[in-house]
Amino acid sequence: MDLNEAKIIYIFINLLLLFTFVLGGYNVKKGGSYWRNVLSCSLVFILVMGTRYGRGYDYFHYVDVYINGDPNSQYSFLLFNGFLKNVLGIGRYFIFYVYAIPFILCGFKFLKNFQKLADIVFPLFLISMTYFEEYEIRQALGFSFVFLFMDTFLNIRQFCKKNILKLALWFMGTLLIHSANILFIIVFLVLTYGYRKVFNYKVTIPLLLFCVYVFVKYYDISYLMPILNLLGGLNQKFAQYSQGNAAEAWFGTDAFQLENARNPMIQFLEIVGNSSLFYFSFKIIKNKDTVKDKTILSFTNMYILGYCGKQAFLYLEILNRMSGLFQRMWFIPLSVVLSSIRFSKLSLIEKIMYVSMIFVMYDYLKYLFFPNPGMDMFLWDKSTIF
């Protein structure tokens, strides 16, 4: 199979996956069975994610971990792999089918809280989370428990013993698979209880510009050490990054990931698109009244903080990746904005801003149409998979 043919197949399969989510969300919006449509979407998602080959920088690392183990991986993850390998006899390239199952089903359990927005939130969830599932494999698997934690939290009417035990169970599951995900839960709870407003765009847009054009160029690692030490106390693996000379290796000049640099024009368009979402989120979501809409405030604020963080630490892998935990929540405020705004009622400048929000999805569009070399393969592109 030549390279052009492989790329065409890759694009077709991913567009088919996206169409499945669009159709499933549309059916749910029109009153169709939620779980029947979810199962159809999930089946296609699992097939596509599981059939990929070599896609994601950690793909072969986790194949090796599955075969040989890894002392740096959390023990519960190794036990899970041992069960798949020694009890179920699953081959090394087929584990990605299994990893995709809890992620997508738990994700849809969480999305049921936004069922009224299904026609928009289903495809945007896919667009937001596909890269996460493919490139941050163990963390995405552990995030299944974060979805369950948030779903349980959103549906609690009172904190009885049963609900507290469920939250504790999901919290422990998160901790045991990938403890860095605990930071997401902590920030979610802090924002939910500690701040009941959407961050004002008059503050967040200047903050974003500062992160992009000032902070990223002049930051000093010494100012970050108290935060790094705190995170090291929460996460053993993160502690390895923040101790001694490792801090400079991971967070100093030697850690700069220059390949993260954007074309200046693309970077500008992304900033405009995300700033527009900051603006419309504040205008629309600040007026919401229900309990779940108040929780939407937290997801919106997490996205804003996450995007500013990703820009501030654009060249630093660890902090950039951690910021991405929060930035991925953009699919929630964007779903609310798109479902609430009448394009014809906007001013000319607001219409331009509205259209520019397409660049919030730039990473997915690049992933879909311009994949990196070797990142468009499936199992049939490999001669031996057993």
Side-chain angles (χ1 to χ4, degrees):
M1 184 182 298
D2 62 46
L3 294 178
N4 288 333
E5 184 180 353
K7 185 175 180 180
I8 291 171
I9 292 174
Y10 164 82
I11 293 173
F12 173 78
I13 288 176
N14 277 283
L15 287 177
L16 178 63
L17 175 60
L18 180 60
F19 175 76
T20 303
F21 274 62
V22 170
L23 182 62
Y26 176 81
N27 289 339
V28 171
K29 178 72 172 181
K30 293 299 181 181
S33 167
Y34 182 83
W35 286 109
R36 186 177 301 163
N37 284 282
V38 159
L39 288 176
S40 298
C41 294
S42 299
L43 178 61
V44 178
F45 181 87
I46 292 164
L47 287 173
V48 174
M49 294 297 108
T51 308
R52 76 187 192 271
Y53 175 72
R55 190 151 63 250
Y57 300 125
D58 289 339
Y59 182 94
F60 292 111
H61 167 70
Y62 281 105
V63 169
D64 182 68
V65 168
Y66 185 69
I67 297 171
N68 302 311
D70 179 7
N72 293 322
S73 288
Q74 288 174 261
Y75 188 63
S76 54
F77 179 68
L78 298 179
L79 284 177
F80 180 62
N81 278 343
F83 174 77
L84 297 181
K85 180 173 64 174
N86 300 320
V87 178
L88 300 183
I90 293 176
R92 62 187 184 276
Y93 294 116
F94 295 93
I95 56 173
F96 301 102
Y97 291 106
V98 180
Y99 293 164
I101 293 171
F103 179 82
I104 193 61
L105 293 180
C106 295
F108 273 122
K109 184 72 167 65
F110 167 66
L111 288 184
K112 198 172 190 302
N113 296 284
F114 309 98
Q115 186 171 343
K116 293 181 180 179
L117 303 173
D119 57 327
I120 301 174
V121 80
F122 274 28
L124 291 187
F125 173 82
L126 175 69
I127 290 170
S128 172
M129 293 292 176
T130 296
Y131 188 93
F132 184 39
E133 166 66 15
E134 289 193 349
Y135 281 73
E136 299 175 32
I137 295 167
R138 182 164 63 92
Q139 190 162 15
L141 178 64
F143 210 82
S144 305
F145 289 101
V146 178
F147 285 136
L148 293 176
F149 182 96
M150 294 189 296
D151 175 69
T152 301
F153 182 86
L154 290 176
N155 289 285
I156 284 179
R157 296 294 175 263
Q158 58 180 352
F159 282 95
C160 62
K161 182 178 180 180
K162 178 181 177 181
N163 289 330
I164 293 175
L165 287 175
K166 287 175 68 175
L167 289 175
L169 177 63
W170 307 143
F171 187 91
M172 286 302 300
T174 302
L175 186 66
L176 291 173
I177 298 296
H178 200 295
S179 54
N181 287 331
I182 291 298
L183 182 64
F184 185 97
I185 293 177
I186 293 172
V187 173
F188 168 71
L189 293 175
V190 168
L191 288 175
T192 298
Y193 287 111
Y195 196 80
R196 294 299 186 92
K197 299 178 181 179
V198 179
F199 293 144
N200 194 314
Y201 71 92
K202 295 178 181 178
V203 175
T204 57
I205 293 177
L207 174 62
L208 175 58
L209 295 175
F210 173 80
C211 291
V212 172
Y213 295 111
V214 179
F215 184 87
V216 72
K217 298 178 181 178
Y218 301 108
Y219 91 101
D220 187 331
I221 183 66
S222 64
Y223 296 128
L224 299 176
M225 288 312 298
I227 300 175
L228 302 183
N229 291 330
L230 173 63
L231 294 173
L234 297 173
N235 185 322
Q236 183 178 1
K237 186 173 182 179
F238 199 92
Q240 298 171 6
Y241 300 140
S242 59
Q243 293 173 352
N245 294 332
E248 178 61 28
W250 282 98
F251 302 100
T253 55
D254 291 340
F256 267 48
Q257 303 288 317
L258 296 179
E259 62 268 23
N260 289 344
R262 295 288 208 220
N263 175 291
M265 179 55 69
I266 294 297
Q267 184 180 48
F268 173 76
L269 292 173
E270 281 191 282
I271 292 168
V272 171
N274 282 275
S275 295
S276 298
L277 184 51
F278 290 5
Y279 169 82
F280 286 120
S281 296
F282 179 78
K283 292 289 187 179
I284 299 298
I285 299 175
K286 71 172 183 177
N287 296 319
K288 299 293 182 180
D289 296 323
T290 68
V291 171
K292 288 185 180 179
D293 286 333
K294 286 182 179 179
T295 308
I296 288 173
L297 303 180
S298 300
F299 295 124
T300 302
N301 288 337
M302 292 173 84
Y303 149 66
I304 292 171
L305 291 176
Y307 187 71
C308 290
K310 278 184 71 71
Q311 294 304 311
F313 304 112
L314 183 64
Y315 305 115
L316 298 174
E317 179 193 358
I318 300 301
L319 293 179
N320 185 273
R321 179 178 291 195
M322 292 183 67
S323 298
L325 273 177
F326 310 112
Q327 180 263 345
R328 288 185 192 92
M329 290 295 109
W330 63 260
F331 73 90
I332 294 178
L334 184 56
S335 297
V336 175
V337 167
L338 294 179
S339 68
S340 303
I341 290 179
R342 289 189 178 183
F343 185 76
S344 60
K345 298 291 185 181
L346 299 177
S347 66
L348 177 60
I349 185 65
E350 287 179 327
K351 288 179 179 177
I352 295 173
M353 294 171 65
Y354 185 94
V355 172
S356 76
M357 288 192 296
I358 187 69
F359 285 97
V360 173
M361 297 176 275
Y362 170 77
D363 283 335
Y364 177 79
L365 296 173
K366 181 182 178 183
Y367 157 90
L368 178 60
F369 294 109
F370 304 100
N372 292 328
M375 295 297 176
D376 56 2
M377 294 194 297
F378 292 91
L379 288 177
W380 52 75
D381 295 308
K382 177 176 172 53
S383 58
T384 303
I385 60 176
F386 294 98

